[in-house]
Amino acid sequence: MPALQRASKGRMFSIQADLPRLPVPPLQQTLDKYLKTISPITTPEQYQKTAEIVGRFAENEGPELHELLEKHAEGKDSWLADWWLNTAYLDYRAPNVINSNPGMVMPTQRFNSDEEWLAYAARLIRAGIDYKQQIDNENLEVEVLAGQPLCMIQYYKIFSTCRIPDLKRDRLVCYPPNKPNAPRHIVIIHNNQFFSLDVYGTDGRPLNEKQIHKLLSKLVSKSQTVGPPVGVLTTGNRNSWATSHKRLAKLGNNASHFDKIEKSIFVVCLDKPYSGTQDPGADEFTLSARQMLYGDGSHACSTNRWFDKTLQFIVGRNGNIGINYEHSPAEGPPVASLLDHMCNYLASEKENEAARGTTDIEQLEFKIDKTIEAAMETAKTEIDLFGADVQLTGHIFDGFGKNFAKSIKQSPDALIQVAMQLAYYRDQGHPCATYESASTRMFQLGRTDTIRSCTPASLAFCQTMHDSSDRAVQAKAFVDAVHAHREYTAAAVAGQGIDRHLLGLKLIAIENGMNVPDLHMDPTYSKAFHFNLSTSQVPCKNPIVLCFGPVVPDGYGFCYNPRSNEIIFVVSAFKNCDKTDSQNLTNRLCESLMDIKALFPTSAKL
Ligand code: COA
């Protein structure tokens, strides 16, 4: 199956209306697959009990719920999109930082002076605007996956978008370029102080790097002292932040400042140099990942942020560069494409003419009171505790990359996933429920489904590697596991996964005032959705990697960028859990990858 790639299909939305709608998979197919997927993670007794529950569901409420779901899907562009936005993101009350917002690490820079730092930031801003212009003009090529064109709507939702905290459910606002009065400004945060900067002249042209640089220098000299850490409130629990947000909105011009931030094309965080990382033993790559994921604590950069903003570029004076993005409107690939474009732009000689009719920077000074001061102190303590608990390991595995997998005629993604199954098995001594994101963008408004990478075949492979020393037997078990993974992947991207269907059956029962089915209340169901391994491939042509936190307290996060001859990845874990250790899993993964390579000795030279 081909990777996400560019195809000259014409303008960005040329095929949008022709995209099929996400199907509701056949009920029995989902139930059969569900039983298959739980078999490696249950005891025979648990499995038997769950098989009986599933059987009763198929004979009783299952068909009725399935029919109601099909009715719900009628006439909609997507039966899932709104439900997913709410259940996966906007209803979620825990902080979006670390739990939901990924960080992305771009190549580290060396800045010998503030001028070099700001010149780089100016060029990075111009690179982002360059990409936005392609989106505004609908000039991006339609992406394809497995020969099928993909829904491009997510590209329209990454700029000028923001999440807004509210009690019970947050809101997501987006100001796309085809609507009147499309935003023309970005917001810069430096020393916790906020500034709005118009990036277009009155002639409609974007400012060039020199013009942006001049304005950045001005705002940096205006913000030499550290401002009140209002941005740290965005790291909080959503209800706490919503309460502070409502209070702040009533003070001074704060409501108008919120509006400026929400509408801004993107936010840029100019991070001060800092010492006092929450992980003193970490290497440069891992430190950069910490800065991108959550700002590395309130004494570092966690206060110099607005974690509700979809795109938040980070340009550290220490040379750490990347992004933190709020996940609700889009998955990683559109953001990765943007960063790839920006890296290429930054490396190019491209120069732009100056815009005419530029405006000055505008400072957004928040008015705060004693209650907000106390809320900021609480938020600082909480992000420091949460951040200190996060263990990250960034690594570049240089034993091989996609080329080796292709040379042995196996899917690189499946190879990495099977290697991770082996690594986890070696780390923990048993398999676990595993999540890999599968894109369902072949469909209108498609987002993701789950590839359940832990399969009976992957477990058989892990056991064979443990119990047998016969290379041929091990190699066969490996190929079987890869094929099982590919089969699951092909089904998931074709809308035949099981996770979203099972969610839909539960939500439709709730919407119709029916009881949540026993199937969803079964402890095995909780186990199947307790993803000790949460994984995702986000490919980039440049050496960029995404990172995120574990999704359960005793779990691991794992995100990787497979390149031709190396695999860049970040593993995360929580230090409070004595069963997990991101460095151990990294070591086990590197060993597992090399052990797999050794199963194919004729390819050793690759
Ligand atoms: N023999 C030789 N080459 C093979 C092969 C085989 N058996 N199987 C695959 N390949 C090649 C592909 O043609 C492709 O080639 P390319 O590099 O020239 O494009 C390459 O190997 C990569 O394919 P593969 O590793 O199989 O992965 P994929 O591109 O099909 O991606 C997913 C798999 C699951 C990652 C993808 O379908 C997906 O859903 N991506 C989106 C995930 C997402 O949204 N993540 C973000 C969440 S925030």
Side-chain angles (χ1 to χ4, degrees):
M1 185 184 288
L4 283 170
Q5 58 187 223
R6 305 283 159 188
S8 297
K9 295 249 178 198
R11 287 165 71 81
M12 193 171 150
F13 294 123
S14 55
I15 49 77
Q16 192 68 26
D18 301 328
L19 289 175
R21 291 177 184 165
L22 184 70
V24 178
L27 180 63
Q28 197 54 49
Q29 173 184 298
T30 295
L31 298 179
D32 292 344
K33 280 192 192 174
Y34 173 58
L35 286 178
K36 191 170 174 188
T37 195
I38 60 158
S39 67
I41 55 166
T42 45
T43 62
E45 296 73 38
Q46 282 170 333
Y47 180 87
Q48 191 49 40
K49 218 170 156 193
T50 297
E52 285 162 19
I53 292 172
V54 168
R56 284 200 295 279
F57 180 77
E59 282 167 15
N60 294 294
E61 70 268 57
E64 187 191 347
L65 291 176
H66 185 74
E67 212 178 299
L68 284 170
L69 191 56
E70 284 180 324
K71 276 218 178 76
H72 162 90
E74 275 170 21
K76 289 194 174 64
D77 285 342
S78 163
W79 62 265
L80 181 65
D82 289 344
W83 272 348
W84 184 248
L85 179 66
N86 291 334
T87 56
Y89 301 105
L90 303 182
D91 290 345
Y92 192 66
R93 299 292 85 197
N96 49 1
V97 64
I98 301 172
N99 291 313
S100 172
N101 284 28
M104 286 180 94
V105 183
M106 290 166 74
T108 303
Q109 305 296 310
R110 294 270 170 261
F111 301 126
N112 295 313
S113 65
D114 284 0
E115 282 312 295
E116 276 185 25
W117 170 48
L118 296 180
Y120 181 91
R123 194 157 172 82
L124 179 131
I125 290 167
R126 187 60 186 83
I129 297 298
D130 193 69
Y131 195 74
K132 178 174 159 36
Q133 281 187 299
Q134 292 194 26
I135 294 177
D136 292 357
N137 298 329
E138 298 186 6
N139 273 341
L140 286 189
E141 289 162 359
V142 177
E143 282 175 326
V144 296
L145 179 65
Q148 302 295 316
L150 300 184
C151 174
M152 296 296 285
I153 287 289
Q154 291 189 16
Y155 283 88
Y156 234 50
K157 294 186 176 171
I158 54 176
F159 290 104
S160 306
T161 302
C162 199
R163 181 167 166 166
I164 302 174
D166 210 339
L167 298 169
K168 293 202 174 129
R169 174 177 291 171
D170 291 358
R171 287 179 297 129
L172 186 68
V173 289
C174 180
Y175 301 89
N178 60 347
K179 294 274 160 28
N181 304 321
R184 301 160 57 84
H185 67 282
I186 60 172
V187 163
I188 315 279
I189 319 179
H190 176 247
N191 268 338
N192 301 343
Q193 303 198 42
F194 291 74
F195 296 86
S196 170
L197 189 160
D198 274 3
V199 281
Y200 293 90
T202 49
D203 62 352
R205 261 201 207 134
L207 272 58
N208 70 8
E209 286 87 325
K210 281 194 186 128
Q211 291 173 307
I212 300 171
H213 185 169
K214 208 168 146 194
L215 292 170
L216 292 183
S217 300
K218 187 170 176 184
L219 77 82
V220 163
S221 60
K222 270 189 94 165
S223 51
Q224 286 302 303
T225 54
V226 179
V230 179
V232 79
L233 294 168
T234 65
T235 65
N237 166 289
R238 303 307 295 172
N239 283 348
S240 316
W241 170 210
T243 307
S244 298
H245 189 272
K246 284 183 197 308
R247 185 177 185 91
L248 270 168
K250 291 187 187 134
L251 301 174
N253 293 327
N254 293 349
S256 141
H257 301 339
F258 281 152
D259 194 58
K260 275 273 174 185
I261 296 171
E262 288 155 15
K263 288 188 173 145
S264 64
I265 297 167
F266 49 75
V267 162
V268 177
C269 309
L270 295 176
D271 280 358
K272 63 184 180 185
Y274 70 91
S275 52
T277 166
Q278 291 197 306
D279 191 356
D283 59 26
E284 195 178 68
F285 175 12
T286 302
L287 285 178
S288 185
R290 297 190 82 85
Q291 197 169 338
M292 301 311 135
L293 185 64
Y294 73 100
D296 207 2
S298 68
H299 295 288
C301 309
S302 300
T303 58
N304 202 49
R305 297 282 184 275
W306 200 262
F307 285 104
D308 289 353
K309 193 66 191 167
T310 306
L311 294 178
Q312 189 170 218
F313 294 103
I314 296 157
V315 186
R317 176 66 179 84
N318 59 6
N320 290 342
I321 312 292
I323 195 166
N324 182 281
Y325 86 88
E326 201 287 307
H327 208 322
S328 32
E331 265 64 60
V335 182
S337 296
L338 160 69
L339 295 195
D340 256 338
H341 177 89
M342 290 170 72
C343 279
N344 296 342
Y345 186 103
L346 284 158
S348 74
E349 304 283 310
K350 196 166 176 178
E351 280 190 32
N352 295 289
E353 280 180 43
R356 261 179 269 161
T358 60
T359 42
D360 205 354
I361 48 168
E362 179 195 353
Q363 183 153 13
L364 314 175
E365 273 182 275
F366 280 99
K367 188 170 170 130
I368 53 172
D369 63 11
K370 292 269 175 245
T371 308
I372 294 298
E373 270 173 22
M376 292 188 305
E377 282 311 306
T378 306
K380 275 163 73 176
T381 308
E382 286 175 359
I383 187 61
D384 286 346
L385 284 172
F386 193 15
D389 191 22
V390 174
Q391 185 194 20
L392 292 181
T393 304
H395 190 78
I396 301 176
F397 170 78
D398 58 4
F400 60 86
K402 284 197 291 187
N403 288 352
F404 166 71
K406 290 182 189 178
S407 77
I408 58 166
K409 310 236 169 328
Q410 304 300 333
S411 143
D413 185 68
L415 184 153
I416 296 166
Q417 285 288 330
V418 169
M420 181 45 102
Q421 286 300 307
L422 180 57
Y424 186 89
Y425 186 83
R426 287 173 168 173
D427 186 57
Q428 301 286 320
H430 55 81
C432 70
T434 307
Y435 182 108
E436 182 191 358
S437 318
S439 173
T440 50
R441 284 175 52 215
M442 285 179 194
F443 303 99
Q444 297 265 2
L445 307 181
R447 298 286 308 249
T448 55
D449 206 325
T450 311
I451 303 165
R452 289 184 166 264
S453 307
C454 176
T455 61
S458 71
L459 176 58
F461 167 64
C462 296
Q463 288 166 338
T464 305
M465 290 299 280
H466 191 257
D467 300 339
S468 164
S469 50
D470 183 330
R471 286 263 171 99
V473 172
Q474 292 175 331
K476 179 174 180 319
F478 166 74
V479 171
D480 289 348
V482 163
H483 288 174
H485 189 81
R486 282 320 281 169
E487 201 183 311
Y488 207 116
T489 301
V493 298
Q496 302 295 322
I498 65 168
D499 286 45
R500 305 298 179 260
H501 188 195
L502 289 170
L503 173 72
L505 292 166
K506 179 174 149 190
L507 294 178
I508 204 76
I510 294 168
E511 271 204 11
N512 284 277
M514 295 160 72
N515 288 337
V516 173
D518 287 350
L519 184 152
H520 297 85
M521 305 300 283
D522 176 17
T524 298
Y525 188 84
S526 305
K527 188 165 188 186
F529 282 80
H530 186 89
F531 291 111
N532 290 93
L533 264 179
S534 172
T535 76
S536 187
Q537 180 190 143
V538 179
C540 289
K541 295 205 168 52
N542 288 279
I544 296 170
V545 70
L546 189 142
C547 57
F548 48 77
V551 296
V552 293
D554 56 345
Y556 287 112
F558 169 57
C559 193
Y560 50 102
N561 175 13
R563 305 181 80 219
S564 299
N565 295 307
E566 65 184 15
I567 305 165
I568 311 181
F569 64 84
V570 180
V571 175
S572 60
F574 288 121
K575 292 181 193 158
N576 274 334
C577 175
D578 55 13
K579 286 193 212 143
T580 55
D581 183 317
S582 61
Q583 186 59 55
N584 277 352
L585 190 69
T586 297
N587 296 345
R588 297 290 87 77
L589 178 61
C590 294
E591 275 164 30
S592 300
L593 287 165
M594 291 314 289
D595 287 353
I596 287 170
K597 188 175 185 196
L599 299 177
F600 300 89
T602 51
S603 302
K605 61 186 179 302
L606 281 154

